[in-house]
Amino acid sequence: MSRSFDVVVIGAGPAGYIAAIRAAQHGMTVACIDKWQNFDGSYAFGGTCLNAGCIPSKAMLESSELYHRATHEFKKHGIVTGEVSLDVAAMQKRRAGIVRQLTGGIGGLFKANKVEGLVGHGKLLAGKKVEFTPVDGDPEILEAKNVVLASGSVPIELPFAKFDREHIIDSWDALELDAVPERLGIIGAGVIGLELGSVWARLGSTVTVLEAMDDFLAMADRDIANVAAKDFKKQGLDIHLGAKVSATNVDNGTVTVTYTDKAGEKTLEFDKLVVAVGRRSFTDGLLAEDSGIALDERGRIIVDEECHTHVSGVYAVGDCVRGVMLAHKGSEEGVMVADLIAGEIAEVNYDVVPSVIYTAPEIAWVGKTEAEVKASGRPYKTGSFPFAASGRAKAMEQTSGMVKVISAADDDEMLGVHIVGPMAGELISEAVLALEFSASTEDLQRTIHAHPSLAEAVHEAALAADKKALNYINR
Ligand code: FAD
Ligand code: NAD
């Protein structure tokens, strides 16, 4: 007799495992299937985010930033060290340990919440049946009242720069390099290009980034992108905009890249080339032909605002559906879907999803950019405050960057907050809460902020929107 569950989730990344836990918290019987296999052959829950994305990249960003500070900034603080040297193996061991701890933790959470974690392949069949093939066994049919598809995404491969995992590599390979490449090339100056470029540049690589678009960080507010571009240049990241790569060739351990920009055709040589030109929804082997699930023109599972597919009782969440490919967006969709299945009212506020780029300085934003507000035709005001005027930032010796607040001129509603500067990824949470609660600029202006703190810069930027900044000359 086949096993049956109230909910079967396929995929245990941040979208799927969170959906599974929340569904179990509602008292439902839940199974969550995943087949993720790490380079060492071990299977693990946690998906891209925990195994090859958010967590290992932040571990490497932190280690490389500390190395950079020790070699470049300690002196300013009056700290004299002997020669500082690098142990890449120890750095990678720390990264792997953090990943192991967190992915293992999901197993513990599954146990505590009575989620059945199943290691293997899941395939949706017609009639809400799921074929589960364990990594070391025969297929089994699971009956499900509800199915949540959370199969995630994989890197986009360029036809003229195919991954060979040795010289032309993806972000996962680039996170696990065992030595610092002398010359590192990156195609794509997006989030991954900038984060991984920062890691290896701090550790000593000469990093060149080739970006097809003419605008740097096209999705960010222009003022913020301009500050960030200057900072990255100072840090030695050589970013070529408007660079269209047309060919690559690997010979004798060297990757030759041919690209064209306004000045014509050029070639560059690298020891490693990271291709980071976006990710695509992953549904290979997920859907039986008669499953009834439809994909859009970009291969994403088609869902409505509530993440419901065309098939009643089948939902899809996270990177495999429309919207930004961010872990927290997927997790919130997982929570929403589990709550809806339990009969509760639930929604995701897609207008208030924060974005963070974990470079130094960090870049973070929520809501609309100034260009978007301008295009909407709504009258608006802006206020900004530089970290150079923040006592806390000065004490930290991290004064680059600013906070920018954009608010409606008619009813004072806050429409967007954009930060480039120290701890921007933490500071943005206050702005997310403000936008979620439809706060006015005055609400933020009247909120007490601890002194001295970086958060005072957010407060002052809100004050500046009405020319009321107290620690900076209003313009
Ligand atoms: P995934 O995490 O991709 O998980 C999908 C899971 O489904 C996988 O484990 C896969 O094995 C499993 N699966 C797929 N098909 C099947 C099947 N048929 N049967 C069984 N299992 C299956 N986002 C952030 O918000 N912050 C960050 O700082 C951040 N940093 C990143 C850094 C890098 C280098 C990368 C690559 C991504 C980063 N992201 C970040 C993006 C983030 O990792 C994704 O948005 C997130 O992992 C998506 O979650 P998901 O659950 O939808 O999919
Ligand atoms: P991305 O979409 O952020 O950036 C890809 C970049 O590559 C873009 O600037 C694009 O113009 C450029 N590009 C595309 N084709 C190109 C070509 N042929 N030649 C040169 N440039 C080209 O994608 P990504 O950096 O690969 O990241 C993938 C996803 O992972 C993103 O959606 C992102 O949200 C997520 N991610 C998030 C974080 C974070 O939240 N901190 C970190 C890493 C990844």
Side-chain angles (χ1 to χ4, degrees):
M1 209 179 75
S2 54
R3 289 193 279 172
S4 70
F5 295 89
D6 292 322
V7 182
V8 172
V9 182
I10 304 179
Y17 89 77
I18 290 293
I21 289 174
R22 175 53 71 92
Q25 287 171 345
H26 282 299
M28 295 185 266
T29 54
V30 183
C32 185
I33 304 171
D34 201 301
K35 60 175 180 185
W36 184 282
Q37 191 170 21
N38 282 307
F39 291 144
D40 65 2
S42 62
Y43 293 93
F45 294 127
T48 306
C49 174
L50 273 77
N51 289 289
C54 325
I55 300 304
S57 62
K58 270 76 245 181
M60 292 303 282
L61 278 156
E62 190 63 29
S63 296
S64 60
E65 177 63 8
L66 287 178
Y67 176 70
H68 174 82
R69 292 221 179 123
T71 47
H72 291 78
E73 293 176 15
F74 276 15
K75 251 192 209 154
K76 267 193 207 155
H77 288 271
I79 302 169
V80 182
T81 59
E83 195 193 333
V84 178
S85 59
L86 201 54
D87 182 346
V88 177
M91 210 174 261
Q92 291 292 19
K93 196 169 162 206
R94 190 188 86 96
R95 172 203 43 80
I98 294 167
V99 166
R100 224 179 3 260
Q101 227 176 4
L102 289 175
T103 54
I106 296 178
L109 288 171
F110 276 177
K111 227 180 197 167
N113 285 284
K114 301 192 175 58
V115 172
E116 179 116 19
L118 301 174
V119 180
H121 184 89
K123 182 176 188 176
L124 179 71
L125 311 179
K128 287 188 284 184
K129 288 185 173 48
V130 172
E131 180 187 78
F132 164 56
T133 310
V135 288
D136 51 3
D138 296 326
E140 169 191 1
I141 304 298
L142 307 177
E143 309 266 354
K145 289 193 187 123
N146 301 276
V147 178
V148 181
L149 305 172
S151 53
S153 64
V154 289
I156 292 174
E157 190 169 58
L158 294 173
F160 46 82
K162 293 224 178 254
F163 298 120
D164 63 13
R165 310 224 76 117
E166 175 65 24
H167 298 103
I168 303 182
I169 59 179
D170 67 13
S171 55
W172 190 9
D173 302 317
L175 279 167
E176 303 205 8
L177 293 176
D178 54 13
V180 181
E182 217 169 284
R183 302 165 299 173
L184 180 70
I186 301 179
I187 306 183
V191 193
I192 291 181
L194 294 175
E195 289 188 357
L196 286 179
S198 297
V199 166
W200 293 107
R202 290 169 194 164
L203 297 180
S205 296
T206 302
V207 176
T208 308
V209 188
L210 300 172
E211 165 60 48
M213 305 256 283
D214 291 325
D215 282 338
F216 176 62
L217 275 182
M219 65 285 202
D221 188 89
R222 285 304 81 202
D223 288 339
I224 300 300
N226 290 340
V227 172
K230 276 189 204 136
D231 267 312
F232 296 146
K233 198 169 178 191
K234 263 191 246 158
Q235 289 165 27
L237 282 188
D238 187 14
I239 301 171
H240 298 230
L241 298 174
K244 314 258 183 312
V245 178
S246 52
T248 60
N249 182 46
V250 182
D251 188 29
N252 216 3
T254 297
V255 192
T256 305
V257 176
T258 307
Y259 71 98
T260 313
D261 63 12
K262 277 184 200 135
E265 192 173 275
K266 294 174 183 162
T267 56
L268 284 171
E269 290 189 341
F270 303 110
D271 301 304
K272 301 269 180 197
L273 177 70
V274 183
V275 179
V277 294
R279 295 174 62 84
R280 64 170 176 83
S281 162
F282 177 73
T283 55
D284 298 4
L286 176 72
L287 308 165
E289 257 179 35
D290 57 353
S291 68
I293 302 297
L295 306 181
D296 69 13
E297 71 293 346
R298 287 166 62 185
R300 302 173 300 191
I301 297 171
I302 298 176
V303 290
D304 63 17
E305 279 278 293
E306 295 185 332
C307 291
H308 215 158
T309 66
H310 289 318
V311 180
S312 171
V314 179
Y315 300 81
V317 294
D319 280 11
C320 65
V321 303
R322 84 284 175 266
V324 289
M325 288 187 171
L326 294 174
H328 42 281
K329 172 263 193 187
S331 295
E332 285 311 313
E333 289 180 336
V335 168
M336 169 178 73
V337 158
D339 288 352
L340 288 170
I341 292 171
E344 291 186 355
I345 294 169
E347 62 177 5
V348 170
N349 184 355
Y350 289 103
D351 293 335
V352 188
V353 180
S355 293
V356 181
I357 306 177
Y358 294 84
T359 44
E362 290 183 353
I363 302 167
W365 69 89
V366 63
K368 293 187 164 54
T369 62
E370 184 169 352
E372 286 168 343
V373 176
K374 194 180 256 178
S376 76
R378 192 167 177 187
Y380 69 94
K381 53 191 177 180
T382 66
S384 55
F385 186 81
F387 283 104
S390 153
R392 186 74 202 276
K394 275 206 179 305
M396 293 167 70
E397 198 62 44
Q398 290 181 47
T399 51
S400 179
M402 62 191 277
V403 179
K404 175 174 172 182
V405 168
I406 305 163
S407 301
D410 44 21
D411 66 359
D412 201 35
E413 183 190 358
M414 291 182 65
L415 303 174
V417 177
H418 305 265
I419 308 175
V420 52
M423 309 298 281
E426 302 297 324
L427 295 176
I428 202 66
S429 291
E430 172 181 22
V432 176
L433 196 65
L435 265 67
E436 178 65 33
F437 284 12
S438 304
S440 65
T441 320
E442 187 183 353
D443 287 327
L444 190 51
Q445 290 170 348
R446 293 193 181 279
T447 301
I448 300 173
H449 290 70
H451 176 76
S453 64
L454 295 172
E456 287 174 301
V458 181
H459 186 218
E460 288 277 354
L463 287 165
D466 288 322
K467 306 212 181 313
K468 291 178 179 170
L470 296 164
N471 288 287
Y472 196 59
I473 299 166
N474 289 291
R475 288 157 211 268

